[in-house]
Amino acid sequence: MFLITPIAKILQDLTVLTWDFWLTMYNLITPKRRIGHVVPEGHPGFGGQWPEYISPKEGDSRCSCPAINAMANHGILPRDGRNISFTELGKLIRATYNFSPSFCFFVPNFAANMLKKSYRKDTFDLSELDLHNGIEHDGSLLREDSALVPDQGEPHIPFIKELLASATGKDKDGNPLLTPADLSRYSAKRRVDARATNPHFTLSTFHKIFGSSNSSTLLTIFGGRVKDLEPILIEERLPEGWESRIRGRMGLTMTTFNKTVLRVELGINEKKYIAENKQNTLAGPNGDSTTALTAAETAV
């Protein structure tokens, strides 16, 4: 078991945040990566050429993060999702999705501490990342709550289709895009619905921010593009020719990312969702919406 002292953790976090700030500044003054060259040459996915996609087999380990599962499904991570080093995970996420080096240290290091493992020495299986109320949390946009479905490695297709169908934005060619407001609205729905259907529902402020971070990845790395998100979220497959929409030289920093996170989180209004859907949403088995809504209203 590996434990980091509180003082060491504070110093480490301050160092990472300072590093991240300067990477953000560097992105502002340097040219962006050229389209078609976001993934480094020599890394799987360079030029949009992703390795063969193979769906997971029985016994393979997967987690609640589609982007990480896609890396295993394409063989960028071990296809069985097992015995992955935290340091290697960060390096591969950076090359695949163009997150910043600071981001790619902070998140795997957080996961290692969550699992009481050494970031530099230990390995993990993907399913271990779904320790409840560690990174995985209730009210997910893409999964049912773990109290209802313990295996968080499987996407819940109805949620995903409903989310993608809620897109109100359009790109210059008229293709549908998810917007921050769309993610805020659907997050409100999922939180209310999960609270009403899961008797063990919990969602701390910390995990609300984590949930909005997941939403923000759809908007930043994936650009909110429904055409790309459909295979990524449903099949956990990277489309041929796809590359990260983040082209900054140092990738997506936490400083930049958190602007989108806050925009999504501050736009979530559960009470508004309840008021707008009181008659036809969260209906009980006899078509009576009052029981479920009363429970949700009381909690909110």
Side-chain angles (χ1 to χ4, degrees):
M1 181 183 294
F2 177 83
L3 295 174
I4 185 171
T5 66
I7 293 176
K9 185 179 185 308
I10 290 171
L11 291 174
Q12 184 181 79
D13 288 349
L14 287 173
T15 300
V16 172
L17 290 173
T18 302
W19 177 28
D20 187 81
F21 172 80
W22 287 113
L23 292 176
T24 304
M25 295 299 102
Y26 186 81
N27 275 340
L28 294 176
I29 62 174
T30 54
K32 294 183 182 297
R33 298 184 185 189
R34 290 181 294 135
I35 293 173
H37 292 75
V38 174
V39 176
E41 189 169 0
H43 179 78
F46 174 71
Q49 302 299 307
W50 297 100
E52 181 186 8
Y53 167 84
I54 301 175
S55 59
K57 300 180 176 63
E58 185 177 353
D60 288 350
S61 184
R62 294 295 185 267
C63 65
S64 55
C65 176
I68 292 178
N69 288 346
M71 292 172 66
N73 291 340
H74 284 280
I76 299 167
L77 290 172
R79 289 192 182 271
D80 64 0
R82 300 187 182 279
N83 298 312
I84 300 166
S85 77
F86 295 99
T87 54
E88 190 67 12
L89 175 67
K91 292 175 185 176
L92 293 173
I93 288 176
R94 167 146 175 71
T96 302
Y97 296 115
N98 200 24
F99 280 100
S100 68
S102 49
F103 213 134
C104 292
F105 166 78
F106 182 85
V107 174
N109 185 66
F110 177 91
N113 290 332
M114 174 186 78
L115 297 175
K116 297 181 172 56
K117 294 188 175 188
S118 168
Y119 168 75
R120 302 201 178 278
K121 297 179 181 179
D122 290 336
T123 63
F124 67 97
D125 296 345
L126 290 183
S127 61
E128 292 182 75
L129 297 178
D130 288 335
L131 176 70
H132 185 54
N133 281 340
I135 294 174
E136 184 274 329
H137 56 82
D138 288 337
S140 165
L141 303 188
L142 311 176
R143 264 71 172 166
E144 294 189 271
D145 290 353
S146 61
L148 306 178
V149 179
D151 182 4
Q152 291 291 291
E154 288 287 336
H156 188 65
I157 306 304
F159 288 170
I160 295 169
K161 289 187 175 180
E162 187 176 31
L163 169 64
L164 297 179
S166 73
T168 62
K170 299 286 184 183
D171 65 13
K172 60 183 177 60
D173 297 318
N175 299 308
L177 297 176
L178 284 169
T179 69
D182 297 332
L183 270 299
S184 295
R185 281 192 299 272
Y186 196 69
S187 295
K189 171 179 167 55
R190 281 294 303 124
R191 291 178 187 183
V192 171
D193 289 1
R195 186 179 286 108
T197 57
N198 176 10
H200 304 289
F201 179 87
T202 60
L203 193 66
S204 66
T205 299
F206 174 78
H207 288 104
K208 287 180 179 179
I209 297 299
F210 236 122
S212 291
S213 296
N214 296 335
S215 298
S216 297
T217 301
L218 306 183
L219 297 171
T220 53
I221 298 296
F222 299 105
R225 288 165 168 79
V226 170
K227 182 179 178 180
D228 291 341
L229 286 171
E230 187 169 14
I232 289 165
L233 299 183
I234 292 177
E235 300 174 64
E236 300 184 330
R237 172 179 62 83
L238 297 171
E240 193 68 19
W242 180 86
E243 66 179 7
S244 173
R245 302 297 172 176
I246 299 298
R247 293 171 46 224
R249 186 74 51 180
M250 288 292 106
L252 180 62
T253 64
M254 293 184 290
T255 303
T256 301
F257 183 68
N258 284 336
K259 295 177 184 177
T260 305
V261 174
L262 288 174
R263 187 175 176 188
V264 171
E265 181 60 34
L266 293 175
I268 297 172
N269 190 331
E270 295 182 39
K271 292 182 178 179
K272 181 179 178 182
Y273 168 75
I274 291 171
E276 291 177 347
N277 295 274
K278 194 164 187 177
Q279 298 305 315
N280 54 13
T281 304
L282 299 175
N286 297 317
D288 180 6
S289 64
T290 57
T291 302
L293 280 168
T294 298
E297 288 170 328
T298 300
V300 172

